[in-house]
Amino acid sequence: MSLILGIDYGGSFIKAGAVECDTGQLVGELASVATPPGASLAGSKLAVQNLAARFPDCVGPVGLAFPSVVRHGVTHTAAHISPEWIDVDAVKWLSEALGRPGYVLNDADAAGLAEIRIGAGQGERGKVMMVTFGTGIGTALFLDGKLWPNTELGHLHVGAEEAEVQASARTRAQQDLDWPTWCARVNTVLLEYHRLLWPDLFIVGGGVSERWEEFQGLITPTLQVVPARLRQSAGVVGAALYAREQSVK
Ligand code: BGC
């Protein structure tokens, strides 16, 4: 059985897990450490090293899902992380930190990849849009199962403000929004995405998707919306699947 380490870098926690690559299944625990203050480069290095040490059976390539535009392994934006991350060769950084080949992609792209391969989007043709609600809003767009990376539509202005400022899970917590108020904002965002891109299916992910049963009745019925099947582990699984795909190229 070949196990690949996937790491998902979030605003509050960095999670990691061993993924069986032929099936995409998480094997064993989903480990996590607190995201270092300011998500600095130095603090992040220690955090990923500590996490990787908890998975001695994963010796091959490592995948990292990261909350930034990631083009050719370089991180270009830093919405909720230290500005030190702008224009960092993150592939080099990760490979040097862990002493083995690292592969890096945007966190929403990673979560979407996992859902498309083995989750709620498996076998879906046409246009599928993953939308993750967490510290920000992440988006990933797939056409016939193929990723169009770095869509960054959490930063689209919907009305007066960016979508993620109005409707992220963090905003829900910070403003203590009840489900109807938050879902009204989510619906406005999803309807705007639909007006512009016409996806056939939306997959809702991020930590809040664990609570889908509590709010699904408030999501606009005119759109096709399903919860992420991998829930909290989608980013970790997607990062590992990406590492595997890239390392055999
Ligand atoms: C970032 C994206 C990220 C999303 C979710 C946004 O603020 O710009 O790169 O995917 O948050 O973490």
Side-chain angles (χ1 to χ4, degrees):
M1 184 163 67
S2 109
L3 293 178
I4 293 201
L5 182 64
I7 304 176
D8 184 15
Y9 199 111
S12 312
F13 293 99
I14 307 174
K15 292 178 282 189
V19 177
E20 208 290 290
C21 272
D22 295 328
T23 60
Q25 296 304 315
L26 191 69
V27 177
E29 64 157 355
L30 190 63
S32 69
V33 294
T35 304
S40 66
L41 274 169
S44 303
K45 182 175 174 180
L46 281 178
V48 298
Q49 286 173 333
N50 286 338
L51 278 172
R54 286 159 71 171
F55 296 90
D57 293 341
C58 297
V59 291
V62 181
L64 173 65
F66 200 74
S68 166
V69 168
V70 185
R71 227 176 25 168
H72 310 302
V74 176
T75 49
H76 287 288
T77 58
H80 303 287
I81 50 180
S82 163
E84 289 173 345
W85 283 100
I86 292 178
D87 296 337
V88 167
D89 185 338
V91 161
K92 186 162 175 267
W93 176 86
L94 181 65
S95 305
E96 284 177 2
L98 300 184
R100 51 212 159 106
Y103 297 90
V104 186
L105 78 168
N106 170 265
D107 57 352
D109 287 347
L113 201 63
E115 291 295 333
I116 283 283
R117 294 281 190 275
I118 60 160
Q122 193 178 11
E124 289 287 339
R125 308 302 292 169
K127 238 183 269 169
V128 176
M129 189 171 178
M130 173 93 196
V131 187
T132 64
F133 294 87
T135 305
I137 290 180
T139 59
L141 198 59
F142 294 82
L143 180 60
D144 294 338
K146 192 164 167 24
L147 172 67
W148 205 63
N150 295 310
T151 42
E152 290 293 316
L153 293 172
H155 298 293
L156 184 77
H157 277 249
V158 177
E161 284 177 313
E162 289 187 356
E164 71 172 30
V165 172
Q166 302 175 54
S168 68
R170 179 161 81 174
T171 298
R172 189 181 82 85
Q174 280 177 343
Q175 297 182 10
D176 198 18
L177 303 177
D178 59 17
W179 288 124
T181 309
W182 180 68
C183 286
R185 296 183 183 191
V186 169
N187 287 337
T188 304
V189 168
L190 294 182
L191 285 164
E192 182 67 358
Y193 290 163
H194 192 264
R195 190 177 74 83
L196 297 172
L197 294 165
W198 289 82
D200 300 292
L201 178 70
F202 283 104
I203 303 174
V204 167
V208 75
S209 67
E210 302 270 357
R211 300 180 67 181
W212 173 252
E213 286 71 23
E214 293 173 62
F215 65 86
Q216 64 167 322
L218 298 164
I219 296 296
T220 183
T222 58
L223 299 176
Q224 189 69 22
V225 186
V226 295
R229 204 178 291 157
L230 285 92
R231 310 265 164 128
Q232 290 274 41
S233 64
V236 164
V237 171
L241 292 177
Y242 181 74
R244 145 84 166 237
E245 288 176 11
Q246 295 296 309
S247 65
V248 296
K249 263 190 178 171

